[in-house]
Every structure is written in structure tokens, then in C-alpha cells.
Amino acid sequence: MNFISMNVVTLLYLVASVCFIQALKGLSSPSSARMGNTFGIAGMAIAVLTTVALIFKLQAELATSGGMGFPLVLLGVVVGGAIGAVAAKRVEMTKMPELVAAMHSLIGLAAVCIAVAAVSEPWAFNIATRTTPLPFGNRLELFIGTFVGAVTFSGSVIAFGKLSGKYKFRLFQGAPVRFAGQHILNLVLAIAIIALGLVFCFADGIEPAWTPFVIMAALSFVLGVLIIIPIGGADMPVVVSMLNSYSGWAAAGIGFSLNNSMLIIAGSLVGSSGAILSYIMCKAMNRSFFNVILGGFGGEASADTGGAKEQRPVKSGSAEDAAFIMQNAESVIIVPGYGLAVARAQHSVKELVDKLTEHGVQVRYAIHPVAGRMPGHMNVLLAEAEVPYDQVAEMEDINGEFGQTDVVLVLGANDVVNPAAKDPKSPIAGMPILEAYKAKSIIVNKRSMASGYAGLDNDLFYQPNTMMVFGDAKKVIESMVKAVE
């Protein structure tokens, strides 16, 4: 029985692909993000249902009705869907980057598993002719997909551990892990992987070349770990974006092996968008992609500046003092950072802004491209608190206004407002920053004088027009709201 024709399968996969493209377009702006998510859900639903129908078709063509294809797919959908739903329900916004890293690891592992299945049963990938072994082109695709998928999996696991910060295992700690000859070892592994992959590709025996394939896959897992461990916490957002790109290319490569247009298109979308995002983030930190991969921020700088913080005086005040200054200002710019996300203070900030607006104060938000732990982190937090989109401005749009602003309120941000970026000798020299230091008065809320991810002291804290307000962001802002009232 013919459940569905290949023409219909191709058409449905094309419709799903269009939905994914519309999803990416919608997610490019907070105002259209909800619609983008809807398109993404619709596209994935179409793709899954089409794949299930295709399994029935393949079973019919193979004259098998009792296979495990559909039960396994159903089990995967139920178990995976349940885990995903629970994770999405429980995850905190501060934990979103590590959740993304975990999801990337699963995509990489899936690519490796599909490659193993293809090598194990090559006839299943050419039902019409039952060709054995796989053609050279398919073996090359499987080699590339396995290599990229394995690196993505193990690298994402390390990134997950570094972002989580809950594990004592050395490789999962935020500080870079470096040793002598590290780059040479990576180069040797890469050459060995390529050599083994070519042996696998050129093997023309009836039996699959398991030995080079397995060794190549194992070395790829190791290489994924070695690539990520020397990268510090400051660069983890770029790493997550990079791994996102890797997972897409792995899926696309396997899509060619399976002759699946859906995987090819979706994987290419993820791979290219992840690569573009990585470029944007590197540009926002004035760093090259290779600079990120070959070494992390602040490894040496933090050691050099460790004692400087104790010798420089700062001016501190209370939440009530800060509220008085803002209440009597004409314009205020708020710079949210990771500390705001940790304290879950976005709703309190919205309430404070509403009170200041009632007093005739013009308030806007300034967002740095890499504020928080992932791109768009601050935008999502503010959208959750129903902050109007017209109050939120990107760095390039608002930097010219700091010089005419009465008060800047920095909430948990650090490196993205550090004037040290203007110093040619600084490790973050040239990094585009929010120019909060130009404002007439600056109020900085932090728990302590600890440095940011880059491991550098922040010159902004020591300016004569800066007042530090120490404490949990949510509690401090709630005190400001009461004072304004």
C-alpha cells in the first residue's frame, strides 16, 4: 500500500522549510518573535508528521509491516517531547545558554548515530537498487557529518558544564584549561581524523570499513573537548553560537547522505545563521573568530589587576540616594546586564521606570549585543516584563545620546560599559562599548566590586561622577521604587 508519494513528501518538506525561514525572519525582532515561534512549531510539526508517513511508505516498499520504525519514532517523539516540555517549563532565563548548549549536543550526537546506522546497513539508503557498499560521495558525506557531529557533541557538553558552573570537574570550570603543546596536539588529531576519514571513504570492500570509522569518530569526540576547554567564560556566548552553526552543518551533511531535502535546508539555515551570529558577536567584542578559539579573555589580565581594586577609592550610596538623583533628572538611560537576569529584577525595573515616567523623567534602555550570556538575552528579559519596544535601543542607536543624558543606571553590567576598551594597551582594546562614562551622573548596581567575564577591573566604577549601590538588583530596585513613591 502506498501511503504517500515522494512528490507529496518533497512538497511537504518544502513547506516546512519555508516555515523555518519565516521563523528565522520573525525571531529577528522582539515584536515579531511570537509569530516566528509559531512558524517554527508549524514547520517542525509538518516535518515530523511527513517523516512518520514516509516510514510507513518505506515499510510498504520493503514489504515489512512488523518493523520497529514507527514505534521507535513514536517513542522518540513522546520521550523527547516530554523532556523538552519539562525543560522549557522549568528553565530560568539565566540558564537558557546552557540549555541551548545541551540541545546542540543532542543534534551532534544524532548526526553520529545516523552515520553509524548508514555504515551498518548501507542498503537501507538506496532502497531501489539495494546498493552495497555506499557510493564514495555518500561515504564522504558520512565522514564529514560524523566528524562535525562528534565535535559538536563533546564540545557542547563542555560548554554546558562551563556555563552551568555547578560541577567541580576541572574541564567544566569557567577558567581556561591550557597545557603545553595543546595546539600541536589539536593539529595532529585533526590530521589523523582526516587521514582516517579518507581511508573510510576510499574503502571499496563489501564489508564497511568499521575500524577507521570508529577511530575517526572517537578522535573527533576528543578533539571537540580539546577545542573548547582552553576557552574561558567570557567567550562562551560565542562558543555556543559557533556550536550552533556546527550542529546545523552536521545535520545538513547527514541530510545529503539520506537524500533528505528537509535536513539539508534546515541544517543549512541553522549553520549559516549560527555562523553569522558568531561573526556579529566577535565584531561586538572586537575579536576575531580564531582569536576566540585560540585563547580566552582575561586569563592573564585578571592576575595582573587583582590587587588594583583594593587601592582605588569608590563612592557608594544607598538605593534612596540613587532614587533621589533619578527622580530629579530629565533623562535616564538604563543599561541592563547579567546581574539583572540573575536577580530576576526585570519586572521591578519596569515598575521603577513607570514611576519615573510619572514624574516626567524620560527613560530608555540601552542594550549591548553581547550583554548577558547570549545574544538577545536582555531583550527577552525586558519583553517578559512587557517593556515597550520603543523604549529599548541598540548600542549603535543610543551611544550618541549618553553625553546629553543626566543619569545612567547600570544594572549588573560590567565589561560592556568598561572605558578600558578605549585604552590601546587593554586586553579589550577596541571592543565597542556602551559609552555610559559620558553621562553627567552614573549609578552602578552590583553585588560587589568583582570583575566581569573578561577578568578586568572596570574604570567606570572609579569615576568621580559614579556612585556604587551594592546589593541584589531586585532588592535595590524595589527600594528605589518605594523611595520614588
Side-chain angles (χ1 to χ4, degrees):
M1 181 178 178
N2 196 354
F3 289 89
I4 187 172
S5 70
M6 290 306 299
N7 288 337
V8 174
V9 170
T10 302
L11 178 60
L12 290 174
Y13 278 156
L14 180 60
V15 172
S17 300
V18 172
C19 288
F20 290 147
I21 293 172
Q22 290 298 317
L24 286 177
K25 181 180 179 181
L27 292 172
S28 64
S29 171
S31 59
S32 59
R34 190 182 299 274
M35 182 60 67
N37 273 321
T38 302
F39 272 113
I41 293 170
M44 184 56 67
I46 294 171
V48 170
L49 293 175
T50 303
T51 302
V52 172
L54 184 58
I55 290 173
F56 279 115
K57 172 181 173 61
L58 296 179
Q59 286 184 335
E61 292 181 355
L62 292 172
T64 59
S65 58
M68 289 295 293
F70 176 70
L72 286 176
V73 170
L74 182 61
L75 178 64
V77 170
V78 172
V79 175
I83 294 174
V86 172
K89 187 72 174 179
R90 294 183 177 180
V91 67
E92 303 172 5
M93 273 307 304
T94 53
K95 304 297 182 182
M96 190 62 70
E98 62 196 68
L99 177 64
V100 172
M103 296 302 180
H104 293 164
S105 71
L106 297 179
I107 297 174
L109 185 61
V112 174
C113 290
I114 293 174
V116 170
V119 175
S120 177
E121 298 183 355
W123 60 269
F125 290 82
N126 196 334
I127 298 172
T129 62
R130 307 289 181 91
T131 301
T132 303
L134 287 169
F136 174 82
N138 289 126
R139 279 175 282 172
L140 179 61
E141 293 157 2
L142 289 173
F143 157 54
I144 295 174
T146 302
F147 167 57
V148 178
V151 169
T152 301
F153 171 74
S154 55
S156 296
V157 170
I158 297 299
F160 169 82
K162 284 178 173 286
L163 288 168
S164 177
K166 296 185 297 185
Y167 306 101
K168 296 182 179 180
F169 187 47
R170 180 70 179 92
L171 298 183
F172 288 158
Q173 295 179 6
V177 178
R178 301 190 179 99
F179 53 85
Q182 192 168 28
H183 297 314
I184 295 177
L185 176 60
N186 290 347
L187 179 61
V188 171
L189 285 177
I191 294 174
I193 290 169
I194 294 174
L196 290 166
L198 292 176
V199 171
F200 167 74
C201 291
F202 283 101
D204 56 0
I206 299 300
E207 292 297 323
W210 277 113
T211 300
F213 178 83
V214 171
I215 298 176
M216 178 269 295
L219 292 181
S220 298
F221 283 120
V222 174
L223 183 61
V225 174
L226 294 177
I227 288 176
I228 304 302
I229 57 174
I231 304 175
D235 290 320
M236 271 304 114
V238 179
V239 172
V240 171
S241 177
M242 175 192 71
L243 292 171
N244 176 30
S245 180
Y246 287 178
S247 67
W249 297 126
I254 295 300
F256 280 105
S257 299
L258 300 179
N259 194 25
N260 188 308
S261 59
M262 178 73 264
L263 272 178
I264 296 171
I265 296 173
S268 298
L269 287 173
V270 174
S272 57
S273 61
I276 293 171
L277 184 58
S278 298
Y279 168 77
I280 292 173
M281 295 176 67
C282 287
K283 184 178 179 181
M285 297 188 297
N286 193 39
R287 308 191 70 201
S288 69
F289 176 78
F290 291 105
N291 183 250
V292 172
I293 297 301
L294 296 178
F297 254 145
E300 296 80 22
S302 58
D304 295 338
T305 60
K309 303 173 188 176
E310 303 296 330
Q311 302 171 2
R312 303 169 68 182
V314 297
K315 180 173 64 177
S316 63
S318 65
E320 290 73 18
D321 296 331
F324 177 81
I325 294 173
M326 287 188 291
Q327 187 175 349
N328 289 277
E330 292 185 3
S331 59
V332 173
I333 294 179
I334 297 177
V335 179
Y338 185 62
L340 172 72
V342 172
R344 301 180 186 179
Q346 60 269 30
H347 295 282
S348 299
V349 172
K350 172 65 164 53
E351 186 178 1
L352 173 63
V353 171
D354 290 342
K355 296 296 182 183
L356 292 174
T357 302
E358 291 175 3
H359 284 78
V361 181
Q362 180 187 15
V363 185
R364 298 188 69 190
Y365 299 84
I367 307 295
H368 192 279
V370 293
R373 297 290 285 273
M374 63 187 300
H377 198 171
M378 297 299 106
N379 300 79
V380 173
L381 284 178
L382 298 180
E384 183 184 6
E386 298 183 353
V387 172
Y389 299 132
D390 58 1
Q391 291 184 1
V392 182
E394 301 297 328
M395 177 180 65
E396 60 270 16
D397 298 324
I398 202 169
N399 253 355
E401 299 182 19
F402 282 105
Q404 293 79 43
T405 300
D406 294 325
V407 181
V408 170
L409 174 61
V410 180
L411 297 172
N414 202 323
D415 299 323
V416 298
V417 293
N418 193 344
K422 304 295 182 179
D423 182 0
K425 298 180 180 180
S426 171
I428 60 171
M431 172 181 169
I433 62 168
L434 290 165
E435 298 175 345
Y437 67 93
K438 293 183 178 180
K440 298 174 184 177
S441 297
I442 304 160
I443 301 170
V444 179
N445 167 238
K446 280 177 59 71
R447 292 176 180 269
S448 67
M449 291 294 292
S451 60
Y453 286 128
L456 302 175
D457 208 4
N458 194 335
D459 295 339
L460 181 71
F461 302 162
Y462 308 101
Q463 290 189 182
N465 59 336
T466 297
M467 182 178 73
M468 304 294 298
V469 181
F470 296 105
D472 176 80
K474 186 175 183 179
K475 294 179 180 178
V476 168
I477 295 170
E478 287 175 348
S479 298
M480 290 181 182
V481 172
K482 293 179 180 178
V484 172
E485 289 177 344

